[in-house]
Amino acid sequence: MRQSTPILWVVQACLIWLTLVSASPTISHDNLVSDADSDSDVSALQTRDTKPFPLRILPLGASITMGYKSKDGNGYRKWLRQQLRYAGWEVDMIGTMKNGTMHDNDHDGHIGWRIDQITSHVKQIIPQQPNLILLNAGTNDALQNYKVDTAGERMDSLLTYLFDNIPNTTIILSTLTFNGKKPQLGTDISTQYLELAAKRRARKERLVVADMSTFIQWKQLVDKIHPTAAGYEEMASVWWAAIQEAEKEGLLQAPTSTTKNNTAFSKAREKELDDSTADPRLPAYTAPPQPTIKRINSSKGSSLSHQWHLWAVAFQILTCIDFSYV
Ligand SMILES: *[C@@H]1O[C@H](CO)[C@@H](O)[C@H](O)[C@H]1NC(C)=O
Ligand SMILES: *[C@@H]1O[C@H](CO)[C@@H](O)[C@H](O)[C@H]1NC(C)=O
Ligand SMILES: *[C@@H]1O[C@H](CO)[C@@H](O)[C@H](O)[C@H]1NC(C)=O
Ligand SMILES: *[C@@H]1O[C@H](CO)[C@@H](O)[C@H](O)[C@H]1NC(C)=O
């Protein structure tokens, strides 16, 4: 009994300390600061010549994914493909649609579609097993003011469906580009995306955020919704930064062996399909840090799950007790 008292005291002290120090979790998303070490990694990646496996990329979303209102109909896709090729990736764009002047012009971007419509379509693409999904959806939910409060939940379900049915795939989740018609609703949806992305990343899921909401500005829109040529090029920069982040974090994996066309994918075919392997000189862009769950010293703004908080507290009690024995 003698010995249990100090231990209890330590636990109690830990709990008091936790109450004081452990504040509610919140989402940090600082647009102005970037990872200090990212630049050196980036240039190292760019000079590497061959990548270990091809990228089977599914551009998934609505009209912006299609490249609507861009002169060549390629939108961001050709710029991004060329950048990936320049960096040494083999690329196969996939999807149930074909638009644009680029050769490898497959995609799944459907004019006017909301998240729910994309979700009900997406099972058709599952057999193609992309190992990289570029997901830009939700602008139409904002424009149509369609259940904006729960857009994040619908996106979350879509992500779960994709992860469950495409083993090892990496998803780049785009926040929404600025729109001049329902700007606040767009921002609301982007905020929901950052929160769900922070949670999923905390669980070590293969998910990276491409923050389109800050780089593409009002003047880079043709109709208050769709990017100009320069805007689409900037989108490519943002995707490219996110893909590099995914590579840096070791998230990217080879396409699954069950993929029908995986073995048929050849370098010769790649070259034949390629528009160019030259440096597209994408607009310079420094990505903000990925959203994370962070503790702050205030009790407001907790939007994360109770469960997460319990885990954090349990972990801290353990470390605290552990520490007290040292
Ligand atoms: C896009 O391609 C589809 C077929 O894949 C075609 O029906 C549609 O008209 C095209 N849209 C544009 C804007 O080019
Ligand atoms: C997923 O990736 C891991 C690690 O590269 C690999 O061992 C596993 O076989 C992959 N799973 C599938 C279904 O391809
Ligand atoms: C493989 O992909 C090529 C080019 O996209 C296509 O022509 C061919 O039909 C595909 N083969 C299978 C088995 O899906
Ligand atoms: C944290 O505490 C400091 C000092 O009391 C305060 O200035 C700051 O606003 C607090 N931060 C948050 C996010 O509440």
mmCIF file of all heavy atoms in Angstrom, residues 54-82:
data_model
loop_
_atom_site.group_PDB
_atom_site.id
_atom_site.type_symbol
_atom_site.label_atom_id
_atom_site.label_comp_id
_atom_site.label_asym_id
_atom_site.label_seq_id
_atom_site.Cartn_x
_atom_site.Cartn_y
_atom_site.Cartn_z
ATOM 1 N N PRO A 54 4.856 3.053 -62.721
ATOM 2 C CA PRO A 54 4.051 4.066 -63.405
ATOM 3 C C PRO A 54 2.966 4.642 -62.501
ATOM 4 O O PRO A 54 2.564 4.008 -61.527
ATOM 5 C CB PRO A 54 3.411 3.297 -64.568
ATOM 6 C CG PRO A 54 3.619 1.869 -64.323
ATOM 7 C CD PRO A 54 4.574 1.687 -63.195
ATOM 8 N N LEU A 55 2.525 5.819 -62.837
ATOM 9 C CA LEU A 55 1.369 6.401 -62.168
ATOM 10 C C LEU A 55 0.145 6.223 -63.062
ATOM 11 O O LEU A 55 0.136 6.669 -64.209
ATOM 12 C CB LEU A 55 1.608 7.897 -61.904
ATOM 13 C CG LEU A 55 2.732 8.246 -60.936
ATOM 14 C CD1 LEU A 55 2.900 9.763 -60.823
ATOM 15 C CD2 LEU A 55 2.500 7.623 -59.559
ATOM 16 N N ARG A 56 -0.817 5.508 -62.526
ATOM 17 C CA ARG A 56 -2.110 5.409 -63.216
ATOM 18 C C ARG A 56 -3.011 6.429 -62.535
ATOM 19 O O ARG A 56 -3.497 6.215 -61.432
ATOM 20 C CB ARG A 56 -2.713 4.010 -63.062
ATOM 21 C CG ARG A 56 -2.040 2.961 -63.935
ATOM 22 C CD ARG A 56 -2.574 1.584 -63.597
ATOM 23 N NE ARG A 56 -4.000 1.452 -63.884
ATOM 24 C CZ ARG A 56 -4.501 1.273 -65.091
ATOM 25 N NH1 ARG A 56 -3.712 1.223 -66.147
ATOM 26 N NH2 ARG A 56 -5.797 1.133 -65.269
ATOM 27 N N ILE A 57 -3.190 7.532 -63.228
ATOM 28 C CA ILE A 57 -3.821 8.694 -62.592
ATOM 29 C C ILE A 57 -5.281 8.829 -63.011
ATOM 30 O O ILE A 57 -5.595 8.864 -64.206
ATOM 31 C CB ILE A 57 -3.072 9.981 -62.969
ATOM 32 C CG1 ILE A 57 -1.607 9.879 -62.514
ATOM 33 C CG2 ILE A 57 -3.748 11.197 -62.350
ATOM 34 C CD1 ILE A 57 -0.767 11.080 -62.898
ATOM 35 N N LEU A 58 -6.141 8.931 -62.022
ATOM 36 C CA LEU A 58 -7.549 9.217 -62.285
ATOM 37 C C LEU A 58 -7.851 10.667 -61.905
ATOM 38 O O LEU A 58 -7.902 11.005 -60.731
ATOM 39 C CB LEU A 58 -8.448 8.286 -61.464
ATOM 40 C CG LEU A 58 -9.951 8.613 -61.491
ATOM 41 C CD1 LEU A 58 -10.516 8.465 -62.900
ATOM 42 C CD2 LEU A 58 -10.720 7.744 -60.499
ATOM 43 N N PRO A 59 -8.017 11.540 -62.914
ATOM 44 C CA PRO A 59 -8.485 12.888 -62.605
ATOM 45 C C PRO A 59 -10.005 12.801 -62.400
ATOM 46 O O PRO A 59 -10.744 12.497 -63.328
ATOM 47 C CB PRO A 59 -8.139 13.698 -63.865
ATOM 48 C CG PRO A 59 -7.244 12.791 -64.688
ATOM 49 C CD PRO A 59 -7.656 11.399 -64.334
ATOM 50 N N LEU A 60 -10.454 13.047 -61.172
ATOM 51 C CA LEU A 60 -11.851 12.792 -60.813
ATOM 52 C C LEU A 60 -12.520 14.065 -60.310
ATOM 53 O O LEU A 60 -11.979 14.747 -59.432
ATOM 54 C CB LEU A 60 -11.895 11.705 -59.718
ATOM 55 C CG LEU A 60 -13.255 11.286 -59.180
ATOM 56 C CD1 LEU A 60 -14.141 10.696 -60.275
ATOM 57 C CD2 LEU A 60 -13.088 10.282 -58.034
ATOM 58 N N GLY A 61 -13.675 14.359 -60.862
ATOM 59 C CA GLY A 61 -14.376 15.552 -60.397
ATOM 60 C C GLY A 61 -15.428 16.021 -61.381
ATOM 61 O O GLY A 61 -16.144 15.214 -61.988
ATOM 62 N N ALA A 62 -15.485 17.333 -61.580
ATOM 63 C CA ALA A 62 -16.521 17.935 -62.417
ATOM 64 C C ALA A 62 -15.879 18.678 -63.584
ATOM 65 O O ALA A 62 -14.858 18.248 -64.112
ATOM 66 C CB ALA A 62 -17.402 18.834 -61.559
ATOM 67 N N SER A 63 -16.470 19.799 -63.982
ATOM 68 C CA SER A 63 -16.022 20.454 -65.213
ATOM 69 C C SER A 63 -14.584 20.978 -65.127
ATOM 70 O O SER A 63 -13.887 21.022 -66.142
ATOM 71 C CB SER A 63 -16.967 21.606 -65.556
ATOM 72 O OG SER A 63 -17.093 22.494 -64.462
ATOM 73 N N ILE A 64 -14.154 21.350 -63.945
ATOM 74 C CA ILE A 64 -12.782 21.862 -63.821
ATOM 75 C C ILE A 64 -11.784 20.738 -64.106
ATOM 76 O O ILE A 64 -10.733 20.957 -64.706
ATOM 77 C CB ILE A 64 -12.567 22.502 -62.426
ATOM 78 C CG1 ILE A 64 -13.436 23.757 -62.311
ATOM 79 C CG2 ILE A 64 -11.099 22.823 -62.189
ATOM 80 C CD1 ILE A 64 -13.426 24.416 -60.935
ATOM 81 N N THR A 65 -12.136 19.527 -63.704
ATOM 82 C CA THR A 65 -11.291 18.371 -64.003
ATOM 83 C C THR A 65 -11.271 18.099 -65.504
ATOM 84 O O THR A 65 -10.237 17.766 -66.082
ATOM 85 C CB THR A 65 -11.808 17.138 -63.235
ATOM 86 O OG1 THR A 65 -11.657 17.395 -61.834
ATOM 87 C CG2 THR A 65 -11.054 15.882 -63.628
ATOM 88 N N MET A 66 -12.443 18.250 -66.127
ATOM 89 C CA MET A 66 -12.502 18.070 -67.580
ATOM 90 C C MET A 66 -11.628 19.091 -68.292
ATOM 91 O O MET A 66 -11.015 18.783 -69.318
ATOM 92 C CB MET A 66 -13.949 18.207 -68.049
ATOM 93 C CG MET A 66 -14.097 18.284 -69.552
ATOM 94 S SD MET A 66 -15.771 18.708 -70.043
ATOM 95 C CE MET A 66 -16.521 17.103 -70.033
ATOM 96 N N GLY A 67 -11.552 20.299 -67.762
ATOM 97 C CA GLY A 67 -10.806 21.362 -68.432
ATOM 98 C C GLY A 67 -11.733 22.299 -69.176
ATOM 99 O O GLY A 67 -11.344 22.982 -70.128
ATOM 100 N N TYR A 68 -12.991 22.305 -68.730
ATOM 101 C CA TYR A 68 -14.024 23.123 -69.351
ATOM 102 C C TYR A 68 -13.576 24.580 -69.451
ATOM 103 O O TYR A 68 -12.990 25.118 -68.516
ATOM 104 C CB TYR A 68 -15.301 23.010 -68.517
ATOM 105 C CG TYR A 68 -16.518 23.647 -69.133
ATOM 106 C CD1 TYR A 68 -17.013 23.188 -70.360
ATOM 107 C CD2 TYR A 68 -17.172 24.686 -68.502
ATOM 108 C CE1 TYR A 68 -18.132 23.763 -70.934
ATOM 109 C CE2 TYR A 68 -18.300 25.270 -69.063
ATOM 110 C CZ TYR A 68 -18.767 24.811 -70.278
ATOM 111 O OH TYR A 68 -19.872 25.386 -70.831
ATOM 112 N N LYS A 69 -13.848 25.179 -70.594
ATOM 113 C CA LYS A 69 -13.502 26.580 -70.888
ATOM 114 C C LYS A 69 -12.009 26.801 -71.166
ATOM 115 O O LYS A 69 -11.602 27.942 -71.395
ATOM 116 C CB LYS A 69 -13.939 27.523 -69.756
ATOM 117 C CG LYS A 69 -15.436 27.540 -69.513
ATOM 118 C CD LYS A 69 -16.113 28.706 -70.204
ATOM 119 C CE LYS A 69 -17.615 28.676 -69.927
ATOM 120 N NZ LYS A 69 -18.335 29.732 -70.588
ATOM 121 N N SER A 70 -11.213 25.756 -71.131
ATOM 122 C CA SER A 70 -9.824 25.966 -71.558
ATOM 123 C C SER A 70 -9.785 25.783 -73.076
ATOM 124 O O SER A 70 -10.534 24.963 -73.626
ATOM 125 C CB SER A 70 -8.875 24.993 -70.853
ATOM 126 O OG SER A 70 -9.166 23.650 -71.167
ATOM 127 N N LYS A 71 -8.932 26.521 -73.740
ATOM 128 C CA LYS A 71 -8.941 26.540 -75.212
ATOM 129 C C LYS A 71 -8.682 25.165 -75.811
ATOM 130 O O LYS A 71 -9.328 24.755 -76.767
ATOM 131 C CB LYS A 71 -7.882 27.527 -75.722
ATOM 132 C CG LYS A 71 -8.338 28.971 -75.670
ATOM 133 C CD LYS A 71 -7.808 29.770 -76.883
ATOM 134 C CE LYS A 71 -8.401 31.168 -76.935
ATOM 135 N NZ LYS A 71 -7.974 32.016 -75.776
ATOM 136 N N ASP A 72 -7.706 24.440 -75.220
ATOM 137 C CA ASP A 72 -7.361 23.132 -75.776
ATOM 138 C C ASP A 72 -8.165 22.003 -75.126
ATOM 139 O O ASP A 72 -8.023 20.839 -75.503
ATOM 140 C CB ASP A 72 -5.852 22.868 -75.631
ATOM 141 C CG ASP A 72 -5.382 22.938 -74.180
ATOM 142 O OD1 ASP A 72 -6.240 23.016 -73.266
ATOM 143 O OD2 ASP A 72 -4.154 22.921 -73.952
ATOM 144 N N GLY A 73 -9.011 22.341 -74.145
ATOM 145 C CA GLY A 73 -9.845 21.329 -73.490
ATOM 146 C C GLY A 73 -9.082 20.437 -72.518
ATOM 147 O O GLY A 73 -9.640 19.474 -71.994
ATOM 148 N N ASN A 74 -7.810 20.738 -72.289
ATOM 149 C CA ASN A 74 -6.997 19.888 -71.419
ATOM 150 C C ASN A 74 -7.028 20.332 -69.951
ATOM 151 O O ASN A 74 -6.704 19.539 -69.069
ATOM 152 C CB ASN A 74 -5.530 19.889 -71.875
ATOM 153 C CG ASN A 74 -5.369 19.355 -73.281
ATOM 154 O OD1 ASN A 74 -6.003 18.367 -73.644
ATOM 155 N ND2 ASN A 74 -4.542 20.013 -74.084
ATOM 156 N N GLY A 75 -7.387 21.591 -69.719
ATOM 157 C CA GLY A 75 -7.371 22.098 -68.351
ATOM 158 C C GLY A 75 -5.994 21.966 -67.733
ATOM 159 O O GLY A 75 -4.993 22.291 -68.362
ATOM 160 N N TYR A 76 -5.971 21.487 -66.493
ATOM 161 C CA TYR A 76 -4.664 21.316 -65.832
ATOM 162 C C TYR A 76 -3.954 20.056 -66.283
ATOM 163 O O TYR A 76 -2.761 19.878 -66.038
ATOM 164 C CB TYR A 76 -4.843 21.281 -64.304
ATOM 165 C CG TYR A 76 -5.521 20.027 -63.763
ATOM 166 C CD1 TYR A 76 -4.837 18.804 -63.693
ATOM 167 C CD2 TYR A 76 -6.845 20.049 -63.319
ATOM 168 C CE1 TYR A 76 -5.456 17.661 -63.214
ATOM 169 C CE2 TYR A 76 -7.463 18.904 -62.835
ATOM 170 C CZ TYR A 76 -6.762 17.708 -62.791
ATOM 171 O OH TYR A 76 -7.373 16.579 -62.331
ATOM 172 N N ARG A 77 -4.686 19.135 -66.927
ATOM 173 C CA ARG A 77 -4.179 17.766 -67.072
ATOM 174 C C ARG A 77 -2.916 17.658 -67.924
ATOM 175 O O ARG A 77 -1.992 16.921 -67.584
ATOM 176 C CB ARG A 77 -5.294 16.869 -67.638
ATOM 177 C CG ARG A 77 -6.457 16.704 -66.638
ATOM 178 C CD ARG A 77 -7.614 15.888 -67.205
ATOM 179 N NE ARG A 77 -8.405 16.607 -68.183
ATOM 180 C CZ ARG A 77 -8.602 16.220 -69.432
ATOM 181 N NH1 ARG A 77 -8.077 15.088 -69.885
ATOM 182 N NH2 ARG A 77 -9.344 16.940 -70.269
ATOM 183 N N LYS A 78 -2.882 18.377 -69.025
ATOM 184 C CA LYS A 78 -1.690 18.260 -69.875
ATOM 185 C C LYS A 78 -0.451 18.872 -69.206
ATOM 186 O O LYS A 78 0.636 18.306 -69.258
ATOM 187 C CB LYS A 78 -1.925 18.927 -71.230
ATOM 188 C CG LYS A 78 -0.756 18.716 -72.184
ATOM 189 C CD LYS A 78 -1.014 19.276 -73.562
ATOM 190 C CE LYS A 78 0.248 19.138 -74.404
ATOM 191 N NZ LYS A 78 0.070 19.689 -75.753
ATOM 192 N N TRP A 79 -0.649 20.009 -68.555
ATOM 193 C CA TRP A 79 0.478 20.640 -67.855
ATOM 194 C C TRP A 79 1.058 19.688 -66.813
ATOM 195 O O TRP A 79 2.271 19.523 -66.707
ATOM 196 C CB TRP A 79 0.015 21.907 -67.133
ATOM 197 C CG TRP A 79 -0.339 23.047 -68.016
ATOM 198 C CD1 TRP A 79 -1.580 23.583 -68.190
ATOM 199 C CD2 TRP A 79 0.537 23.802 -68.850
ATOM 200 N NE1 TRP A 79 -1.527 24.627 -69.079
ATOM 201 C CE2 TRP A 79 -0.242 24.785 -69.496
ATOM 202 C CE3 TRP A 79 1.908 23.745 -69.117
ATOM 203 C CZ2 TRP A 79 0.297 25.701 -70.393
ATOM 204 C CZ3 TRP A 79 2.452 24.657 -70.005
ATOM 205 C CH2 TRP A 79 1.648 25.623 -70.630
ATOM 206 N N LEU A 80 0.146 19.083 -66.060
ATOM 207 C CA LEU A 80 0.592 18.216 -64.971
ATOM 208 C C LEU A 80 1.266 16.965 -65.526
ATOM 209 O O LEU A 80 2.313 16.532 -65.041
ATOM 210 C CB LEU A 80 -0.606 17.818 -64.097
ATOM 211 C CG LEU A 80 -0.269 16.849 -62.968
ATOM 212 C CD1 LEU A 80 0.726 17.468 -61.989
ATOM 213 C CD2 LEU A 80 -1.529 16.406 -62.229
ATOM 214 N N ARG A 81 0.667 16.408 -66.582
ATOM 215 C CA ARG A 81 1.242 15.198 -67.165
ATOM 216 C C ARG A 81 2.662 15.465 -67.652
ATOM 217 O O ARG A 81 3.586 14.683 -67.426
ATOM 218 C CB ARG A 81 0.371 14.705 -68.326
ATOM 219 C CG ARG A 81 0.765 13.317 -68.800
ATOM 220 C CD ARG A 81 -0.095 12.881 -69.983
ATOM 221 N NE ARG A 81 0.081 11.464 -70.236
ATOM 222 C CZ ARG A 81 1.156 10.930 -70.767
ATOM 223 N NH1 ARG A 81 2.170 11.692 -71.126
ATOM 224 N NH2 ARG A 81 1.254 9.624 -70.950
ATOM 225 N N GLN A 82 2.812 16.603 -68.293
ATOM 226 C CA GLN A 82 4.144 16.941 -68.815
ATOM 227 C C GLN A 82 5.156 17.119 -67.681
ATOM 228 O O GLN A 82 6.302 16.675 -67.783
ATOM 229 C CB GLN A 82 4.039 18.227 -69.645
ATOM 230 C CG GLN A 82 5.257 18.454 -70.522
ATOM 231 C CD GLN A 82 5.106 19.681 -71.391
ATOM 232 O OE1 GLN A 82 3.993 20.047 -71.784
ATOM 233 N NE2 GLN A 82 6.223 20.324 -71.701
#
